[in-house]
PDB file of all heavy atoms in Angstrom:
ATOM      1  N   ARG S  26       1.945   9.933  11.210  1.00 96.00           N
ATOM      2  CA  ARG S  26       2.242  10.491  12.545  1.00 96.00           C
ATOM      3  C   ARG S  26       1.987  12.004  12.598  1.00 96.00           C
ATOM      4  O   ARG S  26       1.455  12.519  13.580  1.00 96.00           O
ATOM      5  CB  ARG S  26       3.666  10.185  12.943  1.00 96.00           C
ATOM      6  CG  ARG S  26       3.912   8.722  13.301  1.00 96.00           C
ATOM      7  CD  ARG S  26       5.315   8.478  13.793  1.00 96.00           C
ATOM      8  NE  ARG S  26       5.615   7.052  13.632  1.00 96.00           N
ATOM      9  CZ  ARG S  26       6.368   6.537  12.657  1.00 96.00           C
ATOM     10  NH1 ARG S  26       6.943   7.320  11.732  1.00 96.00           N
ATOM     11  NH2 ARG S  26       6.565   5.221  12.615  1.00 96.00           N
ATOM     12  N   GLU S  27       2.389  12.668  11.532  1.00 95.00           N
ATOM     13  CA  GLU S  27       2.122  14.150  11.442  1.00 95.00           C
ATOM     14  C   GLU S  27       0.637  14.432  11.359  1.00 95.00           C
ATOM     15  O   GLU S  27       0.199  15.389  12.011  1.00 95.00           O
ATOM     16  CB  GLU S  27       2.858  14.732  10.244  1.00 95.00           C
ATOM     17  CG  GLU S  27       4.348  14.776  10.355  1.00 95.00           C
ATOM     18  CD  GLU S  27       4.818  15.794  11.420  1.00 95.00           C
ATOM     19  OE1 GLU S  27       4.208  16.856  11.546  1.00 95.00           O
ATOM     20  OE2 GLU S  27       5.789  15.482  12.141  1.00 95.00           O
ATOM     21  N   VAL S  28      -0.080  13.673  10.582  1.00 95.00           N
ATOM     22  CA  VAL S  28      -1.516  13.919  10.448  1.00 95.00           C
ATOM     23  C   VAL S  28      -2.218  13.738  11.777  1.00 95.00           C
ATOM     24  O   VAL S  28      -3.131  14.488  12.138  1.00 95.00           O
ATOM     25  CB  VAL S  28      -2.141  12.951   9.372  1.00 95.00           C
ATOM     26  CG1 VAL S  28      -3.671  12.935   9.468  1.00 95.00           C
ATOM     27  CG2 VAL S  28      -1.663  13.386   7.988  1.00 95.00           C
ATOM     28  N   ARG S  29      -1.770  12.785  12.549  1.00 93.00           N
ATOM     29  CA  ARG S  29      -2.367  12.554  13.865  1.00 93.00           C
ATOM     30  C   ARG S  29      -2.181  13.744  14.829  1.00 93.00           C
ATOM     31  O   ARG S  29      -2.889  13.866  15.825  1.00 93.00           O
ATOM     32  CB  ARG S  29      -1.843  11.259  14.478  1.00 93.00           C
ATOM     33  CG  ARG S  29      -2.413  10.022  13.800  1.00 93.00           C
ATOM     34  CD  ARG S  29      -3.882   9.939  14.018  1.00 93.00           C
ATOM     35  NE  ARG S  29      -4.502   8.947  13.158  1.00 93.00           N
ATOM     36  CZ  ARG S  29      -5.505   9.210  12.362  1.00 93.00           C
ATOM     37  NH1 ARG S  29      -6.001  10.399  12.239  1.00 93.00           N
ATOM     38  NH2 ARG S  29      -6.038   8.227  11.605  1.00 93.00           N
ATOM     39  N   CYS S  30      -1.221  14.627  14.549  1.00 91.00           N
ATOM     40  CA  CYS S  30      -1.009  15.797  15.376  1.00 91.00           C
ATOM     41  C   CYS S  30      -1.852  16.992  14.945  1.00 91.00           C
ATOM     42  O   CYS S  30      -1.860  18.006  15.621  1.00 91.00           O
ATOM     43  CB  CYS S  30       0.502  16.200  15.296  1.00 91.00           C
ATOM     44  SG  CYS S  30       1.607  15.005  16.000  1.00 91.00           S
ATOM     45  N   ILE S  31      -2.545  16.860  13.814  1.00 85.00           N
ATOM     46  CA  ILE S  31      -3.392  17.942  13.305  1.00 85.00           C
ATOM     47  C   ILE S  31      -4.751  17.852  13.936  1.00 85.00           C
ATOM     48  O   ILE S  31      -5.311  16.772  14.130  1.00 85.00           O
ATOM     49  CB  ILE S  31      -3.491  17.815  11.761  1.00 85.00           C
ATOM     50  CG1 ILE S  31      -2.080  18.026  11.151  1.00 85.00           C
ATOM     51  CG2 ILE S  31      -4.461  18.866  11.216  1.00 85.00           C
ATOM     52  CD1 ILE S  31      -2.016  17.716   9.673  1.00 85.00           C
ATOM     53  N   ARG S  32      -5.328  19.009  14.266  1.00 76.00           N
ATOM     54  CA  ARG S  32      -6.638  19.052  14.920  1.00 76.00           C
ATOM     55  C   ARG S  32      -7.697  18.310  14.136  1.00 76.00           C
ATOM     56  O   ARG S  32      -8.468  17.574  14.696  1.00 76.00           O
ATOM     57  CB  ARG S  32      -7.067  20.505  15.169  1.00 76.00           C
ATOM     58  CG  ARG S  32      -8.293  20.669  15.961  1.00 76.00           C
ATOM     59  CD  ARG S  32      -8.569  22.072  16.241  1.00 76.00           C
ATOM     60  NE  ARG S  32      -8.325  22.868  15.040  1.00 76.00           N
ATOM     61  CZ  ARG S  32      -8.505  24.158  14.943  1.00 76.00           C
ATOM     62  NH1 ARG S  32      -8.877  24.855  15.982  1.00 76.00           N
ATOM     63  NH2 ARG S  32      -8.258  24.825  13.833  1.00 76.00           N
ATOM     64  N   HIS S  33      -7.742  18.579  12.833  1.00 78.00           N
ATOM     65  CA  HIS S  33      -8.722  17.821  12.017  1.00 78.00           C
ATOM     66  C   HIS S  33      -7.983  16.528  11.580  1.00 78.00           C
ATOM     67  O   HIS S  33      -7.074  16.565  10.738  1.00 78.00           O
ATOM     68  CB  HIS S  33      -9.090  18.638  10.772  1.00 78.00           C
ATOM     69  CG  HIS S  33      -9.793  17.803   9.728  1.00 78.00           C
ATOM     70  ND1 HIS S  33     -11.064  17.366   9.840  1.00 78.00           N
ATOM     71  CD2 HIS S  33      -9.328  17.330   8.524  1.00 78.00           C
ATOM     72  CE1 HIS S  33     -11.383  16.641   8.772  1.00 78.00           C
ATOM     73  NE2 HIS S  33     -10.355  16.621   7.951  1.00 78.00           N
ATOM     74  N   SER S  34      -8.359  15.408  12.169  1.00 82.00           N
ATOM     75  CA  SER S  34      -7.641  14.198  11.921  1.00 82.00           C
ATOM     76  C   SER S  34      -8.513  13.196  11.134  1.00 82.00           C
ATOM     77  O   SER S  34      -9.388  12.545  11.730  1.00 82.00           O
ATOM     78  CB  SER S  34      -7.217  13.586  13.255  1.00 82.00           C
ATOM     79  OG  SER S  34      -6.352  12.527  13.083  1.00 82.00           O
ATOM     80  N   PRO S  35      -8.300  13.075   9.843  1.00 93.00           N
ATOM     81  CA  PRO S  35      -9.073  12.121   9.026  1.00 93.00           C
ATOM     82  C   PRO S  35      -8.741  10.687   9.323  1.00 93.00           C
ATOM     83  O   PRO S  35      -7.709  10.392   9.927  1.00 93.00           O
ATOM     84  CB  PRO S  35      -8.679  12.505   7.593  1.00 93.00           C
ATOM     85  CG  PRO S  35      -7.321  13.110   7.733  1.00 93.00           C
ATOM     86  CD  PRO S  35      -7.276  13.766   9.073  1.00 93.00           C
ATOM     87  N   LEU S  36      -9.583   9.806   8.839  1.00 93.00           N
ATOM     88  CA  LEU S  36      -9.287   8.407   8.929  1.00 93.00           C
ATOM     89  C   LEU S  36      -8.175   8.074   7.944  1.00 93.00           C
ATOM     90  O   LEU S  36      -8.116   8.625   6.822  1.00 93.00           O
ATOM     91  CB  LEU S  36     -10.534   7.581   8.562  1.00 93.00           C
ATOM     92  CG  LEU S  36     -11.680   7.723   9.582  1.00 93.00           C
ATOM     93  CD1 LEU S  36     -12.965   7.205   8.977  1.00 93.00           C
ATOM     94  CD2 LEU S  36     -11.321   6.986  10.860  1.00 93.00           C
ATOM     95  N   LEU S  37      -7.258   7.188   8.347  1.00 96.00           N
ATOM     96  CA  LEU S  37      -6.119   6.806   7.531  1.00 96.00           C
ATOM     97  C   LEU S  37      -6.215   5.403   7.053  1.00 96.00           C
ATOM     98  O   LEU S  37      -6.447   4.483   7.884  1.00 96.00           O
ATOM     99  CB  LEU S  37      -4.837   7.028   8.285  1.00 96.00           C
ATOM    100  CG  LEU S  37      -4.534   8.470   8.758  1.00 96.00           C
ATOM    101  CD1 LEU S  37      -3.241   8.496   9.598  1.00 96.00           C
ATOM    102  CD2 LEU S  37      -4.341   9.360   7.534  1.00 96.00           C
ATOM    103  N   VAL S  38      -6.073   5.200   5.758  1.00 97.00           N
ATOM    104  CA  VAL S  38      -6.052   3.858   5.171  1.00 97.00           C
ATOM    105  C   VAL S  38      -4.786   3.718   4.353  1.00 97.00           C
ATOM    106  O   VAL S  38      -4.528   4.422   3.431  1.00 97.00           O
ATOM    107  CB  VAL S  38      -7.288   3.689   4.204  1.00 97.00           C
ATOM    108  CG1 VAL S  38      -7.249   2.301   3.588  1.00 97.00           C
ATOM    109  CG2 VAL S  38      -8.588   3.925   4.944  1.00 97.00           C
ATOM    110  N   ALA S  39      -3.967   2.731   4.790  1.00 97.00           N
ATOM    111  CA  ALA S  39      -2.726   2.453   4.043  1.00 97.00           C
ATOM    112  C   ALA S  39      -3.146   1.675   2.759  1.00 97.00           C
ATOM    113  O   ALA S  39      -3.928   0.735   2.850  1.00 97.00           O
ATOM    114  CB  ALA S  39      -1.799   1.610   4.860  1.00 97.00           C
ATOM    115  N   LEU S  40      -2.612   2.091   1.646  1.00 96.00           N
ATOM    116  CA  LEU S  40      -2.760   1.378   0.388  1.00 96.00           C
ATOM    117  C   LEU S  40      -1.372   1.247  -0.194  1.00 96.00           C
ATOM    118  O   LEU S  40      -0.829   2.190  -0.775  1.00 96.00           O
ATOM    119  CB  LEU S  40      -3.695   2.150  -0.543  1.00 96.00           C
ATOM    120  CG  LEU S  40      -4.074   1.478  -1.867  1.00 96.00           C
ATOM    121  CD1 LEU S  40      -4.661   0.067  -1.634  1.00 96.00           C
ATOM    122  CD2 LEU S  40      -5.012   2.321  -2.641  1.00 96.00           C
ATOM    123  N   THR S  41      -0.759   0.111   0.035  1.00 95.00           N
ATOM    124  CA  THR S  41       0.715  -0.012  -0.115  1.00 95.00           C
ATOM    125  C   THR S  41       1.095  -1.395  -0.691  1.00 95.00           C
ATOM    126  O   THR S  41       0.334  -2.366  -0.573  1.00 95.00           O
ATOM    127  CB  THR S  41       1.413   0.213   1.231  1.00 95.00           C
ATOM    128  OG1 THR S  41       2.830   0.185   1.053  1.00 95.00           O
ATOM    129  CG2 THR S  41       1.010  -0.770   2.291  1.00 95.00           C
ATOM    130  N   GLY S  42       2.282  -1.436  -1.241  1.00 93.00           N
ATOM    131  CA  GLY S  42       2.860  -2.697  -1.703  1.00 93.00           C
ATOM    132  C   GLY S  42       3.602  -3.409  -0.565  1.00 93.00           C
ATOM    133  O   GLY S  42       4.031  -4.549  -0.752  1.00 93.00           O
ATOM    134  N   PHE S  43       3.755  -2.766   0.580  1.00 92.00           N
ATOM    135  CA  PHE S  43       4.472  -3.369   1.703  1.00 92.00           C
ATOM    136  C   PHE S  43       3.526  -4.281   2.480  1.00 92.00           C
ATOM    137  O   PHE S  43       2.703  -3.827   3.259  1.00 92.00           O
ATOM    138  CB  PHE S  43       5.012  -2.287   2.641  1.00 92.00           C
ATOM    139  CG  PHE S  43       5.993  -1.321   2.004  1.00 92.00           C
ATOM    140  CD1 PHE S  43       6.124  -0.055   2.496  1.00 92.00           C
ATOM    141  CD2 PHE S  43       6.781  -1.686   0.936  1.00 92.00           C
ATOM    142  CE1 PHE S  43       6.978   0.867   1.943  1.00 92.00           C
ATOM    143  CE2 PHE S  43       7.696  -0.802   0.362  1.00 92.00           C
ATOM    144  CZ  PHE S  43       7.771   0.452   0.907  1.00 92.00           C
ATOM    145  N   ALA S  44       3.672  -5.587   2.275  1.00 92.00           N
ATOM    146  CA  ALA S  44       2.707  -6.528   2.831  1.00 92.00           C
ATOM    147  C   ALA S  44       3.123  -7.218   4.106  1.00 92.00           C
ATOM    148  O   ALA S  44       2.295  -7.832   4.765  1.00 92.00           O
ATOM    149  CB  ALA S  44       2.396  -7.608   1.761  1.00 92.00           C
ATOM    150  N   HIS S  45       4.376  -7.097   4.501  1.00 93.00           N
ATOM    151  CA  HIS S  45       4.825  -7.819   5.687  1.00 93.00           C
ATOM    152  C   HIS S  45       4.149  -7.343   6.948  1.00 93.00           C
ATOM    153  O   HIS S  45       3.783  -6.172   7.115  1.00 93.00           O
ATOM    154  CB  HIS S  45       6.367  -7.666   5.858  1.00 93.00           C
ATOM    155  CG  HIS S  45       7.093  -8.344   4.764  1.00 93.00           C
ATOM    156  ND1 HIS S  45       7.441  -7.700   3.572  1.00 93.00           N
ATOM    157  CD2 HIS S  45       7.549  -9.630   4.676  1.00 93.00           C
ATOM    158  CE1 HIS S  45       8.115  -8.594   2.848  1.00 93.00           C
ATOM    159  NE2 HIS S  45       8.167  -9.743   3.450  1.00 93.00           N
ATOM    160  N   GLN S  46       4.030  -8.237   7.952  1.00 95.00           N
ATOM    161  CA  GLN S  46       3.408  -7.919   9.199  1.00 95.00           C
ATOM    162  C   GLN S  46       4.066  -6.744   9.915  1.00 95.00           C
ATOM    163  O   GLN S  46       3.419  -5.958  10.557  1.00 95.00           O
ATOM    164  CB  GLN S  46       3.412  -9.153  10.137  1.00 95.00           C
ATOM    165  CG  GLN S  46       2.618  -8.952  11.410  1.00 95.00           C
ATOM    166  CD  GLN S  46       1.168  -8.689  11.161  1.00 95.00           C
ATOM    167  OE1 GLN S  46       0.507  -9.331  10.346  1.00 95.00           O
ATOM    168  NE2 GLN S  46       0.584  -7.738  11.885  1.00 95.00           N
ATOM    169  N   GLN S  47       5.372  -6.605   9.767  1.00 95.00           N
ATOM    170  CA  GLN S  47       6.103  -5.493  10.394  1.00 95.00           C
ATOM    171  C   GLN S  47       5.497  -4.153   9.932  1.00 95.00           C
ATOM    172  O   GLN S  47       5.300  -3.242  10.745  1.00 95.00           O
ATOM    173  CB  GLN S  47       7.564  -5.552   9.932  1.00 95.00           C
ATOM    174  CG  GLN S  47       8.330  -4.303  10.323  1.00 95.00           C
ATOM    175  CD  GLN S  47       9.728  -4.273   9.674  1.00 95.00           C
ATOM    176  OE1 GLN S  47      10.175  -5.241   9.101  1.00 95.00           O
ATOM    177  NE2 GLN S  47      10.388  -3.123   9.732  1.00 95.00           N
ATOM    178  N   TYR S  48       5.182  -4.014   8.663  1.00 94.00           N
ATOM    179  CA  TYR S  48       4.575  -2.788   8.122  1.00 94.00           C
ATOM    180  C   TYR S  48       3.181  -2.575   8.670  1.00 94.00           C
ATOM    181  O   TYR S  48       2.762  -1.454   9.006  1.00 94.00           O
ATOM    182  CB  TYR S  48       4.561  -2.750   6.625  1.00 94.00           C
ATOM    183  CG  TYR S  48       5.942  -2.737   6.030  1.00 94.00           C
ATOM    184  CD1 TYR S  48       6.476  -3.860   5.377  1.00 94.00           C
ATOM    185  CD2 TYR S  48       6.753  -1.600   6.150  1.00 94.00           C
ATOM    186  CE1 TYR S  48       7.732  -3.839   4.837  1.00 94.00           C
ATOM    187  CE2 TYR S  48       8.047  -1.579   5.642  1.00 94.00           C
ATOM    188  CZ  TYR S  48       8.521  -2.716   4.978  1.00 94.00           C
ATOM    189  OH  TYR S  48       9.775  -2.689   4.460  1.00 94.00           O
ATOM    190  N   ARG S  49       2.429  -3.648   8.818  1.00 96.00           N
ATOM    191  CA  ARG S  49       1.074  -3.586   9.395  1.00 96.00           C
ATOM    192  C   ARG S  49       1.151  -3.065  10.850  1.00 96.00           C
ATOM    193  O   ARG S  49       0.375  -2.207  11.242  1.00 96.00           O
ATOM    194  CB  ARG S  49       0.374  -4.908   9.345  1.00 96.00           C
ATOM    195  CG  ARG S  49       0.028  -5.357   7.946  1.00 96.00           C
ATOM    196  CD  ARG S  49      -0.525  -6.778   7.945  1.00 96.00           C
ATOM    197  NE  ARG S  49      -0.726  -7.265   6.610  1.00 96.00           N
ATOM    198  CZ  ARG S  49      -1.848  -7.118   5.891  1.00 96.00           C
ATOM    199  NH1 ARG S  49      -2.878  -6.425   6.405  1.00 96.00           N
ATOM    200  NH2 ARG S  49      -1.940  -7.576   4.686  1.00 96.00           N
ATOM    201  N   ASP S  50       2.108  -3.614  11.576  1.00 97.00           N
ATOM    202  CA  ASP S  50       2.293  -3.216  12.974  1.00 97.00           C
ATOM    203  C   ASP S  50       2.708  -1.756  13.101  1.00 97.00           C
ATOM    204  O   ASP S  50       2.177  -0.992  13.887  1.00 97.00           O
ATOM    205  CB  ASP S  50       3.306  -4.132  13.661  1.00 97.00           C
ATOM    206  CG  ASP S  50       2.861  -5.576  13.782  1.00 97.00           C
ATOM    207  OD1 ASP S  50       1.646  -5.851  13.644  1.00 97.00           O
ATOM    208  OD2 ASP S  50       3.749  -6.443  14.041  1.00 97.00           O
ATOM    209  N   GLU S  51       3.665  -1.370  12.244  1.00 97.00           N
ATOM    210  CA  GLU S  51       4.129   0.033  12.263  1.00 97.00           C
ATOM    211  C   GLU S  51       3.011   0.992  11.849  1.00 97.00           C
ATOM    212  O   GLU S  51       2.903   2.094  12.384  1.00 97.00           O
ATOM    213  CB  GLU S  51       5.351   0.169  11.358  1.00 97.00           C
ATOM    214  CG  GLU S  51       6.576  -0.509  11.922  1.00 97.00           C
ATOM    215  CD  GLU S  51       7.792  -0.423  10.981  1.00 97.00           C
ATOM    216  OE1 GLU S  51       7.686   0.176   9.874  1.00 97.00           O
ATOM    217  OE2 GLU S  51       8.861  -1.012  11.350  1.00 97.00           O
ATOM    218  N   ALA S  52       2.242   0.553  10.853  1.00 97.00           N
ATOM    219  CA  ALA S  52       1.127   1.419  10.411  1.00 97.00           C
ATOM    220  C   ALA S  52       0.136   1.600  11.535  1.00 97.00           C
ATOM    221  O   ALA S  52      -0.334   2.717  11.760  1.00 97.00           O
ATOM    222  CB  ALA S  52       0.435   0.765   9.179  1.00 97.00           C
ATOM    223  N   GLY S  53      -0.231   0.559  12.221  1.00 96.00           N
ATOM    224  CA  GLY S  53      -1.133   0.677  13.348  1.00 96.00           C
ATOM    225  C   GLY S  53      -0.602   1.591  14.439  1.00 96.00           C
ATOM    226  O   GLY S  53      -1.340   2.429  14.988  1.00 96.00           O
ATOM    227  N   ALA S  54       0.665   1.457  14.735  1.00 97.00           N
ATOM    228  CA  ALA S  54       1.297   2.319  15.743  1.00 97.00           C
ATOM    229  C   ALA S  54       1.306   3.779  15.301  1.00 97.00           C
ATOM    230  O   ALA S  54       1.312   4.683  16.160  1.00 97.00           O
ATOM    231  CB  ALA S  54       2.702   1.836  16.053  1.00 97.00           C
ATOM    232  N   ALA S  55       1.340   4.040  14.009  1.00 96.00           N
ATOM    233  CA  ALA S  55       1.362   5.385  13.476  1.00 96.00           C
ATOM    234  C   ALA S  55      -0.036   6.002  13.362  1.00 96.00           C
ATOM    235  O   ALA S  55      -0.186   7.164  13.026  1.00 96.00           O
ATOM    236  CB  ALA S  55       2.053   5.437  12.118  1.00 96.00           C
ATOM    237  N   GLY S  56      -1.081   5.221  13.657  1.00 95.00           N
ATOM    238  CA  GLY S  56      -2.431   5.746  13.658  1.00 95.00           C
ATOM    239  C   GLY S  56      -3.253   5.393  12.412  1.00 95.00           C
ATOM    240  O   GLY S  56      -4.304   5.952  12.219  1.00 95.00           O
ATOM    241  N   ILE S  57      -2.763   4.460  11.630  1.00 96.00           N
ATOM    242  CA  ILE S  57      -3.477   4.056  10.433  1.00 96.00           C
ATOM    243  C   ILE S  57      -4.494   3.000  10.833  1.00 96.00           C
ATOM    244  O   ILE S  57      -4.147   1.932  11.417  1.00 96.00           O
ATOM    245  CB  ILE S  57      -2.476   3.492   9.372  1.00 96.00           C
ATOM    246  CG1 ILE S  57      -1.567   4.687   8.914  1.00 96.00           C
ATOM    247  CG2 ILE S  57      -3.231   2.881   8.224  1.00 96.00           C
ATOM    248  CD1 ILE S  57      -0.457   4.274   8.001  1.00 96.00           C
TER     249      ILE S  57
END
């Protein structure tokens, strides 16, 4: 969320052990 507020906004790729759909949904909402 903080990165998305920065003028230079890189692509975001989650690489995580959190596999549940809830985390996928939250990640998408955060701009990942």
Side-chain angles (χ1 to χ4, degrees):
R26 288 184 201 102
E27 288 292 322
V28 166
R29 287 295 169 235
C30 294
I31 297 171
R32 186 175 43 181
H33 166 72
S34 190
L36 293 165
L37 297 175
V38 178
L40 185 56
T41 183
F43 299 152
H45 292 92
Q46 186 62 43
Q47 170 191 349
Y48 295 110
R49 292 174 186 272
D50 294 344
E51 290 176 2
I57 295 173

